Amino acid sequence: MKKTQNKPIETSDTSAMLYMQHSQVMVVYTEKSDREVWTSFKSGDEAAFNYIYRKYVADLFNYGMQICKQEELIRDCLQKMFVDLRKNQAKLGDVQRIKGYLFTVFHRELFKFLKKERKLNADLISLENEENMFHIETSHETKLIDEEFALEQKLEIANALNKLPTRQRQAIIMLYQEELSYKEIAEVMNFSEVKTARTLVYRAMEKLKEIFEVKKA
Amino acid sequence: MDEKYKYIDFEIEDFLNDEFFIQWVKNPGEETNHFWLKWIENNPERRPVLQKAKEIIAMIDYKDRYVLSDQAYMDLYEDIVEKSHQKRADGSHFHWSGWHKTAAILFLVFSTVYGIDILNKRNKVESENQKVTTWLTVDNPAGQKYKFQLPDGTYVHLNAASSIAYPQNFDGEKRTVRMQGEAFFDVTKDPNRPFVIQIDNNQVTVLGTSFNLKNGEDFELALVEGKVEVADSTGGVITLLPHEMLIKRKNGEVTKTDFDPLEIFGWKDQYLIFKDDSYPEVIRKMEVWFGVTINSTLKVDKGWSYSGSYHNKPLNQVLDGISISSEFDYKIKGKTVTISNP
């Protein structure tokens, strides 16, 4: 199983998409902070937009597909979001972390989009059953020599995680896999308080504690 | 509270909930490394808990990861750029082609005047060549490779599903050929007559050198020795040195990397190479290599990939090799292969 993980911008970018590697555009922009890239984008720099698109579109697409498995709809929604951002680019505020910002905007846009589409086409648009969203897998691939968990334990952890309420699973994936902060998670999931995101994860981990503490056979 | 004491009563769920700890696991930096390594040193009995928490954070992944296809990735980008220009509120004019040329600035350094000049010259050269020269074409179907010499002594290994056109005699200022697909060139030195390969939007100019050139979905040029210049239709010129590979993708991205010679031109010595190839890519490579049509009903896992090297092996042995790791049944009937779940 190939794994894709987002490394910090300073190091080489190993995103899911091959085309990202070594591109000259990427090289220029990976040395800049998110705030600088965003400022360039706001001033109409096509290269900055190109970079933003390459870097985040795969994650956003995957996120959308977790919520609604209709690829065309997700693509339309991504298109609308990016077109809107570009049209209003000069008016946009400052952004510290582009990923968190895009996830928030995209999440909001997607639900608006789904609501509208459902009105037009009630039969065609079906929101995923919540239980099917954000399923978790515990990867078996690890570079550690001394592993604390045996394979069966990992599977057991995955099982337990997938029995958690959807919102908890989502928060866990956002935190560990997408590497968003609690503040960003709260924004994406539309919580008025950051604490809510933190508590969601804490409750889940507390619940799984028993499984974590089993000694490796 | 001092960070050192904050963590002293932490249970596993507390570590799993702590952003500073998660940050260290996902993106260790100087600061986090310094802190946490020191902390473990001072609290050795807590190491297993920390280790467990670390592992849990690192192992969490999406069960189903959805991947945007290359085509959708490019289409979406083009749609976004086009749509956001078309409806611009200030009513400014927009031309796709105009934008496209501007976009080239992102990837290549070029001068407009120089670019136009090259275009004009090239058209002239082509028309002059066509007046006096008979062109010969070598066209390989899938499943067939061919090695031959051009009139100037240059060796060409032409890969399967590729073609090359060249003049019966190189009697101009330049040795110009055209190609599609993939070929390995070992160009005879002639400092006075550059060897030029014309393909779609790119023009490759060399004096004497050897390199592999692939022009399919993307343009890929891997240089073994000598020096190569690649000019695109906007006049952008990129110079390549030995052991460098230039990749220009259809979406406009330009990359220079190093390369593994066996992977890139092992084909000319009968090496069929798979390297972390996706299932469709593996199928495509076999179809081109053996000149067969493969129908597959096999369900493969997301993230399926295959690596392997076959030297001079027949189709059934390659299929046997791949089926070891991914368990499938296959039938070969003439030029058609059927792959299915066992």
Side-chain angles (χ1 to χ4, degrees), chain A residues 19 53 69 86 176 212, chain B residues 16 52 66 70 73 84 253:
Chain A
Y19 0 86
Y53 178 82
K69 291 185 178 43
R86 285 169 60 101
Y176 297 156
F212 296 155
Chain B
L16 286 167
K52 272 191 177 179
Y66 298 88
D70 290 4
Y73 172 88
S84 44
E253 187 209 332

Side-chain angles (χ1 to χ4, degrees), chain A residues 139-152:
Chain A
S139 90
H140 309 149
E141 190 185 84
T142 162
K143 294 180 195 90
L144 302 167
I145 302 163
D146 286 321
E147 282 189 44
E148 296 286 333
F149 296 108
L151 180 63
E152 307 82 71

Side-chain angles (χ1 to χ4, degrees), chain A residues 43-61:
Chain A
S43 68
D45 181 345
E46 279 294 344
F49 173 70
N50 186 289
Y51 169 79
I52 291 168
Y53 178 82
R54 282 162 193 239
K55 190 156 165 59
Y56 301 109
V57 74
D59 286 343
L60 290 165
F61 176 76

Side-chain angles (χ1 to χ4, degrees), chain A residues 66-67 69 127-136 161-167 169, chain B residues 63-64:
Chain A
Q66 302 292 327
I67 292 166
K69 291 185 178 43
L127 194 59
E128 263 313 303
N129 189 339
E130 280 224 354
E131 282 166 25
N132 295 332
M133 294 180 189
F134 297 100
H135 273 194
I136 294 175
L161 284 166
N162 285 324
K163 283 188 190 125
L164 293 170
T166 307
R167 289 200 315 172
R169 283 203 306 269
Chain B
K63 181 161 186 248
D64 307 299

Side-chain angles (χ1 to χ4, degrees), chain A residues 3 8 19 24 50 53-54 62 66 69 79 86 135 137 139 148 176-179 182 212, chain B residues 16-17 19 26-27 52 55 59-66 70 73 77 83-84 107 253:
Chain A
K3 287 294 151 196
Y19 0 86
Q24 294 185 351
N50 186 289
Y53 178 82
R54 282 162 193 239
N62 176 51
Q66 302 292 327
K69 291 185 178 43
Q79 181 185 321
R86 285 169 60 101
H135 273 194
E137 182 181 81
S139 90
E148 296 286 333
Y176 297 156
Q177 175 55 226
E178 299 291 359
E179 297 173 32
Y182 285 121
F212 296 155
Chain B
L16 286 167
N17 204 219
E19 281 184 305
K26 301 299 283 192
N27 295 307
K52 272 191 177 179
E55 269 181 53
M59 73 167 96
I60 303 286
D61 197 1
Y62 286 97
K63 181 161 186 248
D64 307 299
R65 190 179 275 278
Y66 298 88
D70 290 4
Y73 172 88
Y77 183 78
K83 283 221 162 56
S84 44
F107 305 109
E253 187 209 332

Side-chain angles (χ1 to χ4, degrees), chain B residues 20 40 56 74 101 233 264-265 291 295 342:
Chain B
F20 186 63
I40 294 170
I56 291 161
M74 285 186 286
K101 271 176 200 147
S233 55
I264 302 302
F265 42 79
N295 300 316

